[in-house]
Amino acid sequence: MTAYETVIGLEVHIELSTNSKIFCSCTNGSDADPNTHVCPACCGMPGMLPVANREVINLGMTAGMMLNCDINRTTTFDKKSYYYPDLPASYQTTQWFAPVAVNGHVTIDTPEGPKDIRIKQIHMEEDAGKLVHDNLTFTTLVDFNRTSVPLIEIVSQPDLRNADEVEAYLERLRTLLRFAKVSGARMEKGTMRADVNLSVRPAGSQELGVRTEMKNMASIAAIRRAIEFETARHIDAIENGTEELVQETRGWNDDAGTSFSMRTKETAGDYRYFPDPNIMPIVIDDEWFDRIKASLPQLPEEKREHYMAEVGLSEYDADMLTQSRAFCDCFEGAMAAGAAPKDAANWIITNCAGVLNKRGMTSDELPVPGTALGQLIGLVDGGKLSSANGKRLLETLFDVAERDESIPEDMEAYAETEGLLNSSDTGELEAVVAAVIAADPETAQAYRDGREKALNPLFGACMQQLKGKCDTQVLRELLIAELNKG
């Protein structure tokens, strides 16, 4: 049997993290009732003129720089004509002739070593609406909230060869764009979607095979399954003549594990691209370019090396922190507020991550600023806050953020108002110790007889009565001293 090679290129659509849409002031957000974030402009009403959102241009440039692209100093918007019910203007405003960024690359790790995946271009465009199919009534409803939500589309060259490389490429894109705060890039939320262009050719051949495109893939697992299925389908067609391969757009049925034909693949001529006369060319001068370049974050691998070589973190801690820009920002803020690096890393990786996981949030949604966490750690290390109450205080900070309230600036004052600070009254501690010993004389005698583990239930009983509001070291010393008196 002939050996074959799969050739894959991706078109990755990324929803940008802006407050408003690309050409109007409507809120950029999908978590709302249908058709509530719309206006005449994003609904394509006659006479409405678009106004480009400057922040979209900023994020488009940022993405281009993060992915090693050349930035077009003059970038333009164009009309892409096609009719679909969720596209009210019957054309999409996108970029064809002068996209914001071109000729980049992303480096991924493969079993054979690092590999550069070339990026043809990154262009900015508006999203379409959303069709909701009701199979009970055989009707289709349209939600225009997503219309004109700002996107970038990252178009790779056909440099990918298998599902492992595709997964590595998507993960790398997601990490870089999250670090630069371009997008949350969450496939499960629809803010990152991929079109997979795939063909098969005999190994060693330079000629591309018949290409099919699978649209709007929304998970890496589904993309992997779709690539494996399509590769097998193409090889079967070539080897056994089971079907005639044609250039087409296909959908993916993940439940059935099969692809299906949607329509013949359009060409550029079908879309009748032409410059949008309502949007002037955008000229990116040196000041604008330099400002965006200066705002770029350190790459994750650069931060990782810094954390290990200069801050003294272990490889594990550095790896965990650099999975998220929010974790890095919080870590550095906590250190600036006086927390020891190891303590700050432990609190973020263990306690903050635990609360995030319990609430179904991602690491990039960490709402606690580093200064607040650093103060909290200082209170625990200084004996003013027990470890248990420190964790309770952390939970309350998440609650504050969830209510869209500001995180308090003074953690000690806030912990006091919440009734979480340790008691500074030694007399109260001594009274509790005496009462616990009196209530359990057998365990107290066991400790006196040399069974050191008998101290644990007595200590636990004291902590329960004090509700954790004490310096554990002071309490332990008082308890041992009282037991030794007997």
Side-chain angles (χ1 to χ4, degrees):
M1 180 177 172
T2 305
Y4 290 94
E5 177 182 59
T6 306
V7 179
I8 304 167
L10 295 185
E11 299 167 15
V12 182
H13 303 263
I14 303 289
E15 185 176 309
L16 300 179
S17 296
T18 59
N19 293 325
S20 55
K21 294 184 178 182
I22 187 169
F23 297 122
C24 66
S25 60
C26 287
T27 301
N28 176 14
S30 55
D31 296 332
D33 292 335
N35 297 312
T36 54
H37 290 176
V38 296
C39 71
C42 56
C43 275
M45 296 294 102
M48 300 304 299
L49 296 178
V51 177
N53 182 343
R54 186 181 183 92
E55 184 60 18
V56 172
I57 317 300
N58 289 341
L59 295 182
M61 293 167 60
T62 300
M65 292 178 185
M66 291 295 289
L67 305 185
N68 305 297
C69 293
D70 299 325
I71 303 300
N72 274 328
R73 292 304 192 92
T74 300
T75 184
T76 59
F77 284 96
D78 310 293
K79 291 186 176 184
K80 177 183 180 181
S81 300
Y82 65 95
Y83 174 76
Y84 211 62
D86 59 3
L87 197 66
S90 292
Y91 65 83
Q92 180 189 34
T93 304
T94 182
Q95 294 190 296
W96 178 256
F97 297 107
V100 68
V102 294
N103 301 328
H105 72 272
V106 166
T107 304
I108 63 171
D109 292 324
T110 73
E112 292 75 35
K115 177 178 179 178
D116 283 347
I117 307 302
R118 293 172 298 156
I119 292 171
K120 177 184 177 184
Q121 67 182 53
I122 300 174
H123 56 264
M124 303 174 289
E125 62 186 18
E126 61 180 346
D127 205 348
K130 179 181 179 181
L131 296 179
V132 181
H133 304 291
D134 188 336
N135 293 326
L136 293 177
T137 61
F138 300 102
T139 57
T140 296
L141 306 176
V142 187
D143 180 5
F144 288 117
N145 279 350
R146 205 170 66 185
T147 306
S148 282
V149 162
L151 304 175
I152 53 172
E153 182 174 336
I154 303 169
V155 183
S156 81
Q157 298 286 5
D159 291 344
L160 298 151
R161 293 294 176 264
N162 54 56
D164 289 339
E165 290 186 1
V166 168
E167 180 172 353
Y169 173 73
L170 290 172
E171 291 285 6
R172 183 61 175 166
L173 287 186
R174 181 159 57 185
T175 297
L176 291 173
L177 296 179
R178 283 178 174 176
F179 247 77
K181 298 185 178 180
V182 169
S183 171
R186 296 180 63 181
M187 295 190 101
E188 73 278 12
K189 293 285 189 180
T191 56
M192 180 177 181
R193 310 190 295 273
D195 299 340
V196 180
N197 293 280
L198 181 148
S199 63
V200 169
R201 66 187 178 189
S205 171
Q206 298 303 306
E207 185 177 345
L208 294 173
V210 176
R211 175 170 57 96
T212 58
E213 179 182 23
M214 287 174 287
K215 297 287 287 184
N216 286 323
M217 304 294 293
S219 79
I220 289 176
I223 289 171
R224 177 178 288 277
R225 288 190 289 270
I227 288 171
E228 292 168 354
F229 175 85
E230 274 296 287
T231 298
R233 186 180 74 87
H234 279 237
I235 292 174
D236 189 39
I238 296 169
E239 284 281 318
N240 304 315
T242 51
E243 61 180 300
E244 181 183 355
L245 294 176
V246 296
Q247 183 172 316
E248 62 181 342
T249 297
R250 297 181 69 86
W252 174 251
N253 185 327
D254 203 38
D255 293 331
T258 59
S259 66
F260 57 92
S261 180
M262 295 175 66
R263 59 183 179 270
T264 302
K265 177 64 178 168
E266 298 92 344
T267 64
D270 295 322
Y271 291 124
R272 305 189 307 282
Y273 288 100
F274 66 96
D276 191 327
N278 296 320
I279 307 175
M280 296 296 290
I282 295 166
V283 178
I284 299 168
D285 60 19
D286 289 345
E287 186 278 328
W288 191 358
F289 180 91
D290 293 342
R291 179 166 50 83
I292 298 300
K293 189 171 184 179
S295 73
L296 298 180
Q298 268 188 313
L299 295 175
E301 54 270 24
E302 294 172 344
K303 279 190 178 291
R304 179 180 178 277
E305 290 303 315
H306 168 69
Y307 289 165
M308 289 192 295
E310 298 177 41
V311 179
L313 292 185
S314 67
E315 182 178 355
Y316 173 80
D317 287 347
D319 282 341
M320 295 299 293
L321 289 175
T322 53
Q323 289 179 12
S324 161
R325 170 74 182 273
F327 274 13
C328 291
D329 289 347
C330 186
F331 173 68
E332 292 167 15
M335 284 198 303
K342 180 61 178 175
D343 289 343
N346 284 344
W347 270 86
I348 293 169
I349 293 167
T350 303
N351 299 320
C352 291
V355 180
L356 288 166
N357 186 57
K358 184 169 69 175
R359 297 180 180 223
M361 301 166 67
T362 69
S363 56
D364 288 308
E365 294 175 300
L366 176 64
V368 179
T371 50
L373 183 64
Q375 289 182 54
L376 188 159
I377 293 169
L379 293 174
V380 174
D381 290 348
K384 294 184 177 181
L385 195 64
S386 69
S387 177
N389 279 348
K391 294 173 186 176
R392 291 189 185 98
L393 181 59
L394 182 65
E395 287 262 15
T396 66
L397 296 181
F398 275 78
D399 293 336
V400 168
E402 191 174 329
R403 296 193 299 266
D404 287 329
E405 298 173 6
S406 297
I407 300 288
E409 294 184 4
D410 188 333
M411 281 295 103
E412 184 170 358
Y414 182 62
E416 186 173 13
T417 27
E418 291 292 308
L420 296 174
L421 282 184
N422 290 340
S423 171
S424 57
D425 183 355
T426 307
E428 180 188 4
L429 300 184
E430 291 172 344
V432 168
V433 165
V436 165
I437 292 174
D440 193 355
E442 291 183 6
T443 305
Q445 189 57 46
Y447 176 80
R448 295 185 186 107
D449 291 341
R451 291 170 54 192
E452 293 186 0
K453 289 185 178 179
L455 183 69
N456 294 336
L458 297 172
F459 182 81
C462 292
M463 289 292 289
Q464 187 174 16
Q465 287 200 29
L466 291 164
K467 297 181 179 178
K469 294 189 292 183
C470 66
D471 185 322
T472 55
Q473 185 60 35
V474 172
L475 175 64
R476 185 175 293 275
E477 291 171 358
L478 287 173
L479 179 59
I480 291 172
E482 187 65 25
L483 286 166
N484 288 336
K485 286 180 184 178

